[in-house]
């Protein structure tokens, strides 16, 4: 593919920030993670082109649509309620699609597949599982405190520390905490970050895994502090038609650090070519 198609941005139903890339015959809906609550709700030129670059390997076969959550979430909004919102977007704006949910987006995606399997062709749970690991709840509570204090740089710094391995785990948080202060995250609605963290902390979809009908790929890192190996395996085992791909010595950002392998697995799964494995 010599020229990547130009991304298009708008708001679906006048509420959901949306980037559309490509014009492939099939649709891939991407539901982003917690960081979605920490930007201003407007995909600028650089953000839209970053989406295009990130999903460039999918654009021959797929129209990729990244759909953010609306700004101004009601206090107490649950993951299941957010999934109902995405179901309405699919039903009224997009139609059935394969769904890739990343981190918090994976929680929403599994509830979406549970509520409306007719709208989900294939399901990919990336760096996500049926529940948050008990050991990471304290991290979530600390992030919530930072959100209440509007310490956005501290949230970004802590998340970077939990996402990466090797030199990146030291370098990226250090950059965020120093030069990164010049460009901190800018949530359009600060309360959305608290609402989103609460929704993740309260979520447990373990008893509904067996009701997920679409074929599912569970993919992540074995050292992810939020969704570690045992959670990935529990999620995979509970879904009737599921595959598991696990990156060894990888944390929450496995989909970034191991991007080539991640893209290969997701593309193969969507094309019916994969088998469960550890990488």
């Amino acid at each position: 593919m010599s020229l990547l198609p130009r991304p298009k941005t708008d708001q679906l139903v006048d509420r959901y920030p949306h980037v559309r890339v490509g014009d492939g015959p099939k649709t891939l809906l991407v539901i982003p993670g917690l960081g979605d609550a920490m930007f201003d709700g407007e995909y600028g030129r650089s953000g839209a082109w970053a989406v295009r670059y990130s999903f460039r390997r999918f654009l021959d076969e797929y129209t990729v649509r990244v759909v953010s959550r609306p700004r101004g979430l009601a206090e107490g909004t649950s993951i299941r309620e957010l999934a109902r919102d995405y179901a309405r977007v699919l039903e009224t704006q997009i139609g059935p699609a394969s769904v890739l949910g990343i981190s918090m987006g994976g929680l929403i995606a599994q509830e979406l597949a549970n509520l409306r399997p007719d709208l989900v062709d294939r399901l990919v749970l990336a760096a996500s599982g049926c529940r948050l690991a008990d050991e990471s709840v304290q991290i979530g509570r600390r992030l919530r405190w930072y959100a209440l204090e509007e310490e956005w740089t501290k949230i970004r710094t802590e998340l970077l520390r939990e996402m990466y391995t090797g030199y990146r785990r030291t370098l990226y948080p250090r950059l965020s905490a120093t030069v990164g202060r010049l460009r901190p995250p800018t949530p359009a609605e600060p309360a959305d970050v608290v609402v989103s963290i609460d929704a993740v902390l309260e979520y447990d979809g373990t008893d509904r895994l067996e009701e997920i009908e679409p074929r599912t790929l569970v993919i992540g890192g074995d050292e992810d502090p939020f969704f570690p190996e045992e959670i990935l395996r529990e999620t995979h085992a509970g879904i009737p038609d599921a595959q598991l791909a696990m990156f060894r010595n990888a944390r929450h950002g496995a989909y970034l650090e191991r991007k080539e392998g991640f893209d290969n697995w997701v593309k193969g799964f969507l094309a019916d070519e994969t088998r469960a494995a550890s990488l």
Side-chain angles (χ1 to χ4, degrees):
M1 189 165 45
S2 58
L3 290 176
L4 295 176
R6 182 180 297 274
K8 300 176 181 178
T9 63
D10 58 11
Q11 295 229 355
L12 299 180
V13 204
D14 296 325
R15 296 189 65 215
Y16 300 84
H18 167 238
V19 179
R20 172 176 173 163
V21 187
D23 54 6
K26 295 179 282 189
T27 302
L28 178 63
L29 168 67
V30 180
I31 305 179
L34 176 65
D36 183 67
M38 291 181 59
F39 86 118
D40 61 12
E42 296 289 337
Y43 281 104
R45 180 183 178 87
S46 60
W49 285 73
V51 169
R52 186 195 71 160
Y53 182 78
S54 181
F55 290 97
R56 63 194 182 282
R57 295 183 59 199
F58 293 83
L59 301 183
D60 285 333
E61 295 293 329
Y62 287 89
T63 298
V64 177
R65 307 183 72 148
V66 179
V67 179
S68 290
R69 294 175 281 284
R71 308 300 99 171
L73 297 174
E75 183 177 355
T77 297
S78 68
I79 294 294
R80 198 162 178 87
E81 288 170 330
L82 293 170
R84 290 192 184 98
D85 289 341
Y86 275 94
R88 283 191 287 271
V89 169
L90 283 174
E91 190 169 46
T92 63
Q93 301 286 306
I94 296 175
S98 290
V99 178
L100 165 60
I102 302 171
S103 189
M104 177 184 175
L107 308 183
I108 298 169
Q110 60 192 283
E111 286 299 314
L112 171 61
N114 178 282
L115 290 165
R116 293 295 305 271
D118 57 309
L119 294 174
V120 180
D121 297 328
R122 292 288 177 93
L123 176 64
V124 179
L125 305 180
S128 189
C130 57
R131 59 186 175 86
L132 203 65
D134 293 340
E135 296 80 3
S136 66
V137 169
Q138 189 59 40
I139 299 174
R141 290 173 177 165
R142 187 160 59 248
L143 295 177
R144 187 182 192 277
W145 174 254
Y146 292 155
L148 288 170
E149 295 296 311
E150 300 191 8
E151 294 278 6
W152 312 124
T153 299
K154 287 185 177 180
I155 293 177
R156 180 182 61 195
T157 300
E158 180 127 2
L159 289 175
L160 287 171
R161 187 175 297 113
E162 303 302 340
M163 291 182 69
Y164 290 98
T165 61
Y167 76 90
R168 295 181 180 88
R169 192 173 185 217
T170 301
L171 177 62
Y172 291 178
R174 184 177 298 165
L175 291 174
S176 173
T178 55
V179 296
R181 287 187 174 276
L182 299 175
R183 296 193 66 181
T186 54
E189 294 287 346
D192 286 350
V193 184
V194 178
V195 172
S196 298
I197 293 172
D198 285 344
V200 172
L201 287 171
E202 294 168 6
Y203 182 76
D204 189 338
T206 307
D207 61 352
R208 294 187 294 281
L209 290 175
E210 64 182 12
E211 301 170 12
I212 294 177
E213 297 179 16
R215 193 173 187 192
T216 302
L217 173 65
V218 180
I219 181 168
D222 66 332
E223 296 180 5
D224 185 331
F226 303 107
F227 304 100
E229 179 172 352
E230 58 267 29
I231 299 294
L232 298 180
R233 292 193 180 279
E234 179 182 356
T235 306
H236 165 250
I239 298 173
D241 187 4
Q243 295 179 342
L244 174 65
M246 189 156 46
F247 294 95
R248 293 296 178 187
N249 306 310
R251 294 175 68 82
H252 193 58
Y255 59 94
L256 298 172
E257 277 199 306
R258 308 289 181 86
K259 182 162 177 53
E260 182 177 0
F262 176 84
D263 286 354
N264 287 343
W265 263 93
V266 174
K267 282 172 61 68
F269 168 75
L270 294 176
D272 242 349
E273 297 171 357
T274 56
R275 295 290 184 271
S278 293
L279 306 177

